[in-house]
Amino acid sequence: ETGVTQTPRHLVMGMTNKKSLKCEQHLGHNAMYWYKQSAKKPLELMFVYNFKEQTENNSVPSRFSPECPNSSHLFLHLHTLQPEDSALYLCASSQYLGTSGNTIYFGEGSWLTVV
Amino acid sequence: AQSVSQHNHHVILSEAASLELGCNYSYGGTVNLFWYVQYPGQHLQLLLKYFSGDPLVKGIKGFEAEFIKSKFSFNLRKPSVQWSDTAEYFCAVNAGTGGFKTIFGAGTRLFVKA
């Protein structure tokens, strides 16, 4: 049990589909993140939210649309994806953003395959 | 741009062998350093972290890492690995110059032969 729960764990979608990834954290944290994990590449930071406000969009294509309705929930809406978007998408949280020494806690990830 | 380099992408060791995984980063100034581990089928979890003080940091499961500021390095070590250490290991850096974003390396896959 990580304190950060992601659903679904596996998702297969066509390039014309619209789907969403969901993340919920039970740690009372104020910052939430989406990372993309692809084989043989560093973890890529996609989006950062702090107290529900987006503070970072790391040049992510608009076919990925995040939503953070409150500090405990984070969504990643997906539409018209490409096969190269297939990857493990990791949600994470931390108590604060921008505080020295912050430790990030990860969910188990959502495996996305775009066909 | 900020970056974290892990020099070994794949490492294969026999049980009881010693382990050292390299990590270098490209920032100056104050940094906070982390090693995360991802066991097969499990989530990324914190192995150890350095914020300040003693540059030799002890973590869980017998791991340790040494921060060498002059070399911009934070290498992970374990004197004697076990089969259960088979996992992927990620070095990460959180720096004031980067707005305290945590940036990860590409990871090192360790396979320990029983």
Side-chain angles (χ1 to χ4, degrees), chain B residues 9-66:
Chain B
H9 294 296
H10 292 91
V11 173
I12 301 174
L13 295 173
S14 297
E15 276 196 313
S18 64
L19 170 72
E20 181 159 2
L21 302 182
C23 173
N24 287 90
Y25 60 91
S26 65
Y27 317 84
T30 302
V31 291
N32 303 293
L33 300 155
F34 307 81
W35 276 97
Y36 283 81
V37 61
Q38 189 171 30
Y39 297 104
Q42 295 189 28
H43 65 281
L44 269 163
Q45 54 190 287
L46 184 68
L47 197 56
L48 49 78
K49 59 187 177 184
Y50 170 81
F51 293 164
S52 62
D54 188 344
L56 184 62
V57 180
K58 304 269 185 206
I60 60 172
K61 304 185 179 185
F63 286 90
E64 65 179 31
E66 185 175 13

Short mmCIF file of all heavy atoms in Angstrom, two decimals, chain B residues 9-66:
data_model
loop_
_atom_site.label_atom_id
_atom_site.label_comp_id
_atom_site.label_asym_id
_atom_site.label_seq_id
_atom_site.Cartn_x
_atom_site.Cartn_y
_atom_site.Cartn_z
N HIS B 9 23.23 1.06 -17.40
CA HIS B 9 21.82 0.78 -17.65
C HIS B 9 21.44 -0.61 -17.16
O HIS B 9 20.30 -0.83 -16.75
CB HIS B 9 21.52 0.93 -19.13
CG HIS B 9 21.68 2.34 -19.61
ND1 HIS B 9 20.89 3.35 -19.16
CD2 HIS B 9 22.55 2.90 -20.47
CE1 HIS B 9 21.26 4.49 -19.73
NE2 HIS B 9 22.27 4.24 -20.53
N HIS B 10 22.38 -1.54 -17.25
CA HIS B 10 22.13 -2.92 -16.82
C HIS B 10 23.35 -3.40 -16.05
O HIS B 10 24.48 -3.21 -16.50
CB HIS B 10 21.90 -3.85 -18.00
CG HIS B 10 20.63 -3.59 -18.73
ND1 HIS B 10 20.55 -2.72 -19.79
CD2 HIS B 10 19.37 -4.06 -18.54
CE1 HIS B 10 19.30 -2.68 -20.23
NE2 HIS B 10 18.57 -3.46 -19.50
N VAL B 11 23.09 -4.03 -14.92
CA VAL B 11 24.16 -4.62 -14.12
C VAL B 11 23.73 -6.02 -13.73
O VAL B 11 22.60 -6.22 -13.28
CB VAL B 11 24.45 -3.78 -12.86
CG1 VAL B 11 25.44 -4.49 -11.95
CG2 VAL B 11 24.95 -2.39 -13.23
N ILE B 12 24.64 -6.98 -13.90
CA ILE B 12 24.36 -8.36 -13.50
C ILE B 12 25.44 -8.77 -12.49
O ILE B 12 26.63 -8.65 -12.78
CB ILE B 12 24.38 -9.32 -14.69
CG1 ILE B 12 23.33 -8.91 -15.73
CG2 ILE B 12 24.12 -10.76 -14.23
CD1 ILE B 12 23.37 -9.71 -17.01
N LEU B 13 25.00 -9.22 -11.33
CA LEU B 13 25.92 -9.64 -10.27
C LEU B 13 25.50 -10.99 -9.72
O LEU B 13 24.32 -11.35 -9.79
CB LEU B 13 25.93 -8.62 -9.13
CG LEU B 13 26.45 -7.22 -9.44
CD1 LEU B 13 26.22 -6.31 -8.23
CD2 LEU B 13 27.93 -7.27 -9.78
N SER B 14 26.44 -11.67 -9.13
CA SER B 14 26.13 -12.89 -8.39
C SER B 14 25.86 -12.50 -6.95
O SER B 14 26.34 -11.46 -6.46
CB SER B 14 27.29 -13.87 -8.46
OG SER B 14 27.50 -14.27 -9.80
N GLU B 15 25.10 -13.33 -6.26
CA GLU B 15 24.84 -13.07 -4.84
C GLU B 15 26.15 -12.95 -4.08
O GLU B 15 27.12 -13.64 -4.38
CB GLU B 15 24.00 -14.21 -4.25
CG GLU B 15 22.51 -14.04 -4.48
CD GLU B 15 21.68 -14.95 -3.58
OE1 GLU B 15 22.02 -16.14 -3.49
OE2 GLU B 15 20.71 -14.47 -2.98
N ALA B 16 26.15 -12.08 -3.11
CA ALA B 16 27.29 -11.78 -2.24
C ALA B 16 28.31 -10.84 -2.88
O ALA B 16 29.25 -10.41 -2.21
CB ALA B 16 28.01 -13.04 -1.76
N ALA B 17 28.13 -10.52 -4.15
CA ALA B 17 29.03 -9.55 -4.78
C ALA B 17 28.73 -8.16 -4.24
O ALA B 17 27.63 -7.90 -3.74
CB ALA B 17 28.86 -9.58 -6.29
N SER B 18 29.71 -7.27 -4.36
CA SER B 18 29.49 -5.89 -3.94
C SER B 18 28.92 -5.08 -5.10
O SER B 18 29.16 -5.35 -6.27
CB SER B 18 30.79 -5.27 -3.45
OG SER B 18 31.71 -5.19 -4.52
N LEU B 19 28.14 -4.08 -4.72
CA LEU B 19 27.43 -3.27 -5.72
C LEU B 19 27.82 -1.81 -5.58
O LEU B 19 27.93 -1.29 -4.47
CB LEU B 19 25.92 -3.39 -5.50
CG LEU B 19 25.02 -2.42 -6.28
CD1 LEU B 19 25.00 -2.79 -7.75
CD2 LEU B 19 23.61 -2.41 -5.70
N GLU B 20 28.05 -1.16 -6.71
CA GLU B 20 28.15 0.29 -6.73
C GLU B 20 27.50 0.79 -8.01
O GLU B 20 27.91 0.42 -9.11
CB GLU B 20 29.59 0.80 -6.65
CG GLU B 20 29.65 2.33 -6.64
CD GLU B 20 30.94 2.89 -6.07
OE1 GLU B 20 31.84 2.10 -5.72
OE2 GLU B 20 31.05 4.13 -5.98
N LEU B 21 26.49 1.62 -7.87
CA LEU B 21 25.80 2.22 -9.01
C LEU B 21 26.12 3.70 -9.04
O LEU B 21 25.95 4.39 -8.03
CB LEU B 21 24.28 2.02 -8.91
CG LEU B 21 23.80 0.58 -8.83
CD1 LEU B 21 22.27 0.54 -8.78
CD2 LEU B 21 24.30 -0.24 -10.00
N GLY B 22 26.53 4.18 -10.20
CA GLY B 22 26.95 5.57 -10.31
C GLY B 22 25.81 6.51 -10.60
O GLY B 22 24.85 6.16 -11.30
N CYS B 23 25.90 7.72 -10.05
CA CYS B 23 24.93 8.77 -10.32
C CYS B 23 25.66 10.10 -10.29
O CYS B 23 26.36 10.41 -9.31
CB CYS B 23 23.83 8.77 -9.27
SG CYS B 23 22.68 10.17 -9.41
N ASN B 24 25.51 10.88 -11.34
CA ASN B 24 26.06 12.23 -11.39
C ASN B 24 24.96 13.21 -11.79
O ASN B 24 24.06 12.87 -12.55
CB ASN B 24 27.21 12.32 -12.39
CG ASN B 24 28.45 11.63 -11.90
OD1 ASN B 24 28.65 10.45 -12.15
ND2 ASN B 24 29.28 12.37 -11.18
N TYR B 25 25.06 14.42 -11.28
CA TYR B 25 24.06 15.43 -11.59
C TYR B 25 24.74 16.69 -12.06
O TYR B 25 25.96 16.86 -11.90
CB TYR B 25 23.19 15.70 -10.35
CG TYR B 25 23.97 16.19 -9.17
CD1 TYR B 25 24.17 17.54 -8.94
CD2 TYR B 25 24.54 15.27 -8.28
CE1 TYR B 25 24.91 17.98 -7.87
CE2 TYR B 25 25.29 15.71 -7.21
CZ TYR B 25 25.47 17.06 -7.00
OH TYR B 25 26.21 17.50 -5.94
N SER B 26 23.95 17.59 -12.62
CA SER B 26 24.57 18.73 -13.30
C SER B 26 24.24 20.08 -12.67
O SER B 26 24.36 21.11 -13.35
CB SER B 26 24.13 18.76 -14.76
OG SER B 26 22.74 19.00 -14.84
N TYR B 27 23.84 20.14 -11.42
CA TYR B 27 23.54 21.43 -10.81
C TYR B 27 24.65 21.90 -9.90
O TYR B 27 25.35 21.08 -9.33
CB TYR B 27 22.32 21.35 -9.89
CG TYR B 27 21.17 20.59 -10.39
CD1 TYR B 27 21.14 19.22 -10.23
CD2 TYR B 27 20.11 21.23 -10.99
CE1 TYR B 27 20.07 18.51 -10.67
CE2 TYR B 27 19.03 20.52 -11.42
CZ TYR B 27 19.01 19.16 -11.26
OH TYR B 27 17.94 18.46 -11.69
N GLY B 28 24.72 23.20 -9.71
CA GLY B 28 25.54 23.73 -8.62
C GLY B 28 24.60 24.09 -7.48
O GLY B 28 23.39 23.93 -7.59
N GLY B 29 25.13 24.55 -6.41
CA GLY B 29 24.29 25.01 -5.31
C GLY B 29 23.74 23.87 -4.48
O GLY B 29 24.18 22.73 -4.56
N THR B 30 22.74 24.20 -3.71
CA THR B 30 22.17 23.24 -2.78
C THR B 30 21.36 22.18 -3.52
O THR B 30 20.52 22.51 -4.35
CB THR B 30 21.25 23.95 -1.78
OG1 THR B 30 22.01 24.93 -1.10
CG2 THR B 30 20.67 22.96 -0.78
N VAL B 31 21.63 20.94 -3.21
CA VAL B 31 20.88 19.84 -3.83
C VAL B 31 20.41 18.87 -2.75
O VAL B 31 21.03 18.75 -1.69
CB VAL B 31 21.71 19.05 -4.86
CG1 VAL B 31 21.98 19.88 -6.10
CG2 VAL B 31 23.00 18.53 -4.26
N ASN B 32 19.33 18.23 -3.04
CA ASN B 32 18.84 17.12 -2.23
C ASN B 32 18.82 15.90 -3.14
O ASN B 32 18.39 15.98 -4.29
CB ASN B 32 17.45 17.42 -1.70
CG ASN B 32 17.43 18.70 -0.90
OD1 ASN B 32 18.01 18.79 0.18
ND2 ASN B 32 16.79 19.72 -1.42
N LEU B 33 19.31 14.80 -2.64
CA LEU B 33 19.56 13.64 -3.49
C LEU B 33 18.82 12.42 -2.98
O LEU B 33 18.69 12.23 -1.77
CB LEU B 33 21.07 13.36 -3.53
CG LEU B 33 21.89 14.54 -4.07
CD1 LEU B 33 23.31 14.51 -3.54
CD2 LEU B 33 21.91 14.50 -5.58
N PHE B 34 18.36 11.60 -3.91
CA PHE B 34 17.53 10.46 -3.57
C PHE B 34 17.95 9.26 -4.42
O PHE B 34 18.40 9.39 -5.55
CB PHE B 34 16.06 10.74 -3.89
CG PHE B 34 15.50 11.99 -3.28
CD1 PHE B 34 15.72 13.23 -3.88
CD2 PHE B 34 14.74 11.94 -2.12
CE1 PHE B 34 15.19 14.39 -3.33
CE2 PHE B 34 14.21 13.10 -1.56
CZ PHE B 34 14.43 14.32 -2.17
N TRP B 35 17.76 8.09 -3.85
CA TRP B 35 17.73 6.85 -4.62
C TRP B 35 16.38 6.20 -4.38
O TRP B 35 15.96 6.02 -3.23
CB TRP B 35 18.84 5.89 -4.21
CG TRP B 35 20.15 6.16 -4.88
CD1 TRP B 35 21.20 6.88 -4.37
CD2 TRP B 35 20.56 5.73 -6.18
NE1 TRP B 35 22.23 6.91 -5.28
CE2 TRP B 35 21.87 6.20 -6.40
CE3 TRP B 35 19.96 4.97 -7.18
CZ2 TRP B 35 22.58 5.96 -7.58
CZ3 TRP B 35 20.66 4.71 -8.34
CH2 TRP B 35 21.96 5.21 -8.53
N TYR B 36 15.72 5.87 -5.49
CA TYR B 36 14.46 5.14 -5.44
C TYR B 36 14.70 3.76 -6.03
O TYR B 36 15.55 3.57 -6.91
CB TYR B 36 13.38 5.85 -6.25
CG TYR B 36 12.76 7.05 -5.59
CD1 TYR B 36 13.39 8.29 -5.62
CD2 TYR B 36 11.55 6.95 -4.93
CE1 TYR B 36 12.82 9.40 -5.01
CE2 TYR B 36 10.96 8.06 -4.32
CZ TYR B 36 11.61 9.28 -4.36
OH TYR B 36 11.03 10.37 -3.77
N VAL B 37 13.88 2.80 -5.61
CA VAL B 37 13.98 1.44 -6.13
C VAL B 37 12.60 0.98 -6.59
O VAL B 37 11.59 1.34 -5.99
CB VAL B 37 14.56 0.47 -5.07
CG1 VAL B 37 13.67 0.41 -3.82
CG2 VAL B 37 14.74 -0.93 -5.65
N GLN B 38 12.60 0.23 -7.67
CA GLN B 38 11.35 -0.32 -8.20
C GLN B 38 11.54 -1.82 -8.37
O GLN B 38 12.21 -2.27 -9.31
CB GLN B 38 10.98 0.34 -9.52
CG GLN B 38 9.60 -0.02 -10.04
CD GLN B 38 9.21 0.82 -11.25
OE1 GLN B 38 10.05 1.25 -12.03
NE2 GLN B 38 7.92 1.07 -11.40
N TYR B 39 11.00 -2.60 -7.44
CA TYR B 39 11.05 -4.05 -7.54
C TYR B 39 10.07 -4.52 -8.61
O TYR B 39 9.08 -3.82 -8.89
CB TYR B 39 10.76 -4.70 -6.19
CG TYR B 39 11.78 -4.35 -5.14
CD1 TYR B 39 11.49 -3.42 -4.14
CD2 TYR B 39 13.04 -4.93 -5.14
CE1 TYR B 39 12.44 -3.08 -3.19
CE2 TYR B 39 13.99 -4.59 -4.19
CZ TYR B 39 13.69 -3.67 -3.22
OH TYR B 39 14.63 -3.31 -2.29
N PRO B 40 10.30 -5.67 -9.21
CA PRO B 40 9.42 -6.15 -10.29
C PRO B 40 7.96 -6.14 -9.86
O PRO B 40 7.60 -6.70 -8.82
CB PRO B 40 9.93 -7.57 -10.53
CG PRO B 40 11.36 -7.53 -10.14
CD PRO B 40 11.43 -6.58 -8.97
N GLY B 41 7.14 -5.47 -10.63
CA GLY B 41 5.71 -5.42 -10.38
C GLY B 41 5.28 -4.53 -9.23
O GLY B 41 4.12 -4.54 -8.84
N GLN B 42 6.21 -3.76 -8.70
CA GLN B 42 5.87 -2.90 -7.56
C GLN B 42 6.08 -1.42 -7.91
O GLN B 42 6.64 -1.09 -8.94
CB GLN B 42 6.72 -3.27 -6.34
CG GLN B 42 6.44 -4.66 -5.81
CD GLN B 42 7.15 -4.91 -4.49
OE1 GLN B 42 7.40 -3.98 -3.72
NE2 GLN B 42 7.46 -6.17 -4.23
N HIS B 43 5.64 -0.56 -7.01
CA HIS B 43 5.77 0.88 -7.24
C HIS B 43 7.17 1.37 -6.88
O HIS B 43 7.92 0.70 -6.17
CB HIS B 43 4.73 1.63 -6.40
CG HIS B 43 4.96 1.50 -4.92
ND1 HIS B 43 4.60 0.40 -4.20
CD2 HIS B 43 5.54 2.35 -4.04
CE1 HIS B 43 4.93 0.57 -2.94
NE2 HIS B 43 5.50 1.74 -2.81
N LEU B 44 7.49 2.52 -7.38
CA LEU B 44 8.73 3.19 -7.01
C LEU B 44 8.69 3.54 -5.53
O LEU B 44 7.72 4.13 -5.06
CB LEU B 44 8.89 4.49 -7.80
CG LEU B 44 9.64 4.43 -9.12
CD1 LEU B 44 9.35 5.67 -9.92
CD2 LEU B 44 11.13 4.29 -8.87
N GLN B 45 9.75 3.22 -4.80
CA GLN B 45 9.77 3.56 -3.39
C GLN B 45 11.13 4.10 -3.01
O GLN B 45 12.15 3.77 -3.61
CB GLN B 45 9.39 2.35 -2.52
CG GLN B 45 10.22 1.11 -2.77
CD GLN B 45 9.63 -0.09 -2.07
OE1 GLN B 45 9.71 -0.21 -0.85
NE2 GLN B 45 9.05 -1.00 -2.83
N LEU B 46 11.14 4.92 -1.98
CA LEU B 46 12.36 5.58 -1.55
C LEU B 46 13.30 4.58 -0.87
O LEU B 46 12.89 3.84 0.02
CB LEU B 46 12.02 6.71 -0.59
CG LEU B 46 13.17 7.58 -0.11
CD1 LEU B 46 13.72 8.41 -1.27
CD2 LEU B 46 12.71 8.49 1.02
N LEU B 47 14.55 4.61 -1.28
CA LEU B 47 15.59 3.75 -0.70
C LEU B 47 16.38 4.53 0.34
O LEU B 47 16.64 4.05 1.44
CB LEU B 47 16.51 3.27 -1.82
CG LEU B 47 17.42 2.08 -1.60
CD1 LEU B 47 16.63 0.85 -1.18
CD2 LEU B 47 18.19 1.79 -2.88
N LEU B 48 16.78 5.73 -0.04
CA LEU B 48 17.48 6.61 0.89
C LEU B 48 17.51 8.02 0.32
O LEU B 48 17.21 8.22 -0.85
CB LEU B 48 18.91 6.12 1.18
CG LEU B 48 19.81 5.75 0.00
CD1 LEU B 48 20.38 6.97 -0.67
CD2 LEU B 48 20.95 4.83 0.47
N LYS B 49 17.87 8.98 1.18
CA LYS B 49 17.90 10.36 0.74
C LYS B 49 18.98 11.13 1.50
O LYS B 49 19.32 10.78 2.63
CB LYS B 49 16.54 11.02 0.94
CG LYS B 49 16.05 11.02 2.37
CD LYS B 49 14.61 11.54 2.43
CE LYS B 49 14.09 11.47 3.87
NZ LYS B 49 12.66 11.86 3.96
N TYR B 50 19.51 12.16 0.85
CA TYR B 50 20.46 13.06 1.47
C TYR B 50 19.91 14.48 1.39
O TYR B 50 19.60 14.96 0.30
CB TYR B 50 21.83 12.99 0.77
CG TYR B 50 22.75 14.09 1.23
CD1 TYR B 50 23.45 13.96 2.43
CD2 TYR B 50 22.88 15.28 0.51
CE1 TYR B 50 24.27 14.99 2.88
CE2 TYR B 50 23.70 16.29 0.96
CZ TYR B 50 24.38 16.14 2.14
OH TYR B 50 25.19 17.16 2.60
N PHE B 51 19.86 15.13 2.57
CA PHE B 51 19.46 16.53 2.59
C PHE B 51 20.63 17.40 3.04
O PHE B 51 20.90 18.42 2.45
CB PHE B 51 18.27 16.76 3.54
CG PHE B 51 16.99 16.11 3.09
CD1 PHE B 51 15.94 15.93 3.98
CD2 PHE B 51 16.82 15.67 1.79
CE1 PHE B 51 14.76 15.34 3.57
CE2 PHE B 51 15.65 15.07 1.37
CZ PHE B 51 14.62 14.91 2.28
N SER B 52 21.28 17.00 4.11
CA SER B 52 22.40 17.76 4.65
C SER B 52 23.11 16.89 5.68
O SER B 52 22.66 15.79 5.99
CB SER B 52 21.91 19.06 5.31
OG SER B 52 21.07 18.75 6.40
N GLY B 53 24.24 17.39 6.18
CA GLY B 53 24.94 16.67 7.23
C GLY B 53 25.90 15.63 6.68
O GLY B 53 26.55 15.84 5.66
N ASP B 54 25.98 14.51 7.36
CA ASP B 54 26.91 13.44 6.99
C ASP B 54 26.69 13.03 5.54
O ASP B 54 25.58 12.61 5.17
CB ASP B 54 26.70 12.24 7.92
CG ASP B 54 27.77 11.16 7.74
OD1 ASP B 54 28.49 11.17 6.72
OD2 ASP B 54 27.87 10.30 8.63
N PRO B 55 27.72 13.12 4.69
CA PRO B 55 27.53 12.80 3.27
C PRO B 55 27.36 11.30 3.02
O PRO B 55 27.02 10.91 1.91
CB PRO B 55 28.80 13.32 2.62
CG PRO B 55 29.80 13.36 3.71
CD PRO B 55 29.06 13.66 4.96
N LEU B 56 27.63 10.49 4.01
CA LEU B 56 27.40 9.05 3.87
C LEU B 56 26.05 8.73 4.48
O LEU B 56 25.85 8.87 5.69
CB LEU B 56 28.51 8.26 4.55
CG LEU B 56 28.44 6.74 4.39
CD1 LEU B 56 28.56 6.35 2.93
CD2 LEU B 56 29.53 6.06 5.20
N VAL B 57 25.12 8.32 3.63
CA VAL B 57 23.75 8.12 4.05
C VAL B 57 23.43 6.63 4.06
O VAL B 57 23.72 5.92 3.10
CB VAL B 57 22.78 8.83 3.07
CG1 VAL B 57 21.35 8.63 3.50
CG2 VAL B 57 23.11 10.31 2.98
N LYS B 58 22.80 6.18 5.13
CA LYS B 58 22.39 4.78 5.23
C LYS B 58 20.90 4.69 4.90
O LYS B 58 20.10 5.53 5.35
CB LYS B 58 22.59 4.27 6.66
CG LYS B 58 24.02 4.43 7.16
CD LYS B 58 24.87 3.24 6.89
CE LYS B 58 26.24 3.40 7.52
NZ LYS B 58 27.26 2.61 6.83
N GLY B 59 20.54 3.67 4.12
CA GLY B 59 19.15 3.47 3.77
C GLY B 59 18.64 2.13 4.23
O GLY B 59 19.27 1.46 5.05
N ILE B 60 17.52 1.73 3.64
CA ILE B 60 16.94 0.44 4.01
C ILE B 60 17.69 -0.70 3.35
O ILE B 60 18.42 -0.48 2.36
CB ILE B 60 15.44 0.38 3.62
CG1 ILE B 60 15.26 0.57 2.12
CG2 ILE B 60 14.65 1.41 4.41
CD1 ILE B 60 13.85 0.34 1.63
N LYS B 61 17.56 -1.88 3.89
CA LYS B 61 18.08 -3.12 3.30
C LYS B 61 19.58 -3.10 3.08
O LYS B 61 20.08 -3.76 2.16
CB LYS B 61 17.34 -3.43 1.98
CG LYS B 61 15.84 -3.52 2.16
CD LYS B 61 15.11 -3.96 0.91
CE LYS B 61 13.62 -4.03 1.18
NZ LYS B 61 12.85 -4.55 0.05
N GLY B 62 20.31 -2.39 3.90
CA GLY B 62 21.76 -2.41 3.84
C GLY B 62 22.38 -1.52 2.78
O GLY B 62 23.60 -1.56 2.56
N PHE B 63 21.59 -0.71 2.11
CA PHE B 63 22.12 0.20 1.10
C PHE B 63 22.68 1.45 1.75
O PHE B 63 22.21 1.89 2.80
CB PHE B 63 21.04 0.58 0.09
CG PHE B 63 20.70 -0.51 -0.88
CD1 PHE B 63 19.70 -1.43 -0.59
CD2 PHE B 63 21.39 -0.62 -2.08
CE1 PHE B 63 19.39 -2.45 -1.48
CE2 PHE B 63 21.09 -1.63 -2.98
CZ PHE B 63 20.09 -2.55 -2.68
N GLU B 64 23.66 2.05 1.11
CA GLU B 64 24.18 3.33 1.51
C GLU B 64 24.59 4.11 0.27
O GLU B 64 24.76 3.53 -0.81
CB GLU B 64 25.38 3.18 2.45
CG GLU B 64 26.60 2.53 1.82
CD GLU B 64 27.77 2.44 2.79
OE1 GLU B 64 27.55 2.30 4.01
OE2 GLU B 64 28.92 2.50 2.31
N ALA B 65 24.69 5.42 0.42
CA ALA B 65 25.13 6.25 -0.70
C ALA B 65 26.00 7.36 -0.14
O ALA B 65 25.81 7.82 0.99
CB ALA B 65 23.94 6.83 -1.45
N GLU B 66 26.96 7.79 -0.95
CA GLU B 66 27.87 8.83 -0.52
C GLU B 66 27.76 10.04 -1.45
O GLU B 66 27.90 9.90 -2.67
CB GLU B 66 29.32 8.33 -0.51
CG GLU B 66 30.29 9.37 0.05
CD GLU B 66 31.70 8.84 0.19
OE1 GLU B 66 32.00 7.75 -0.34
OE2 GLU B 66 32.51 9.55 0.83
#
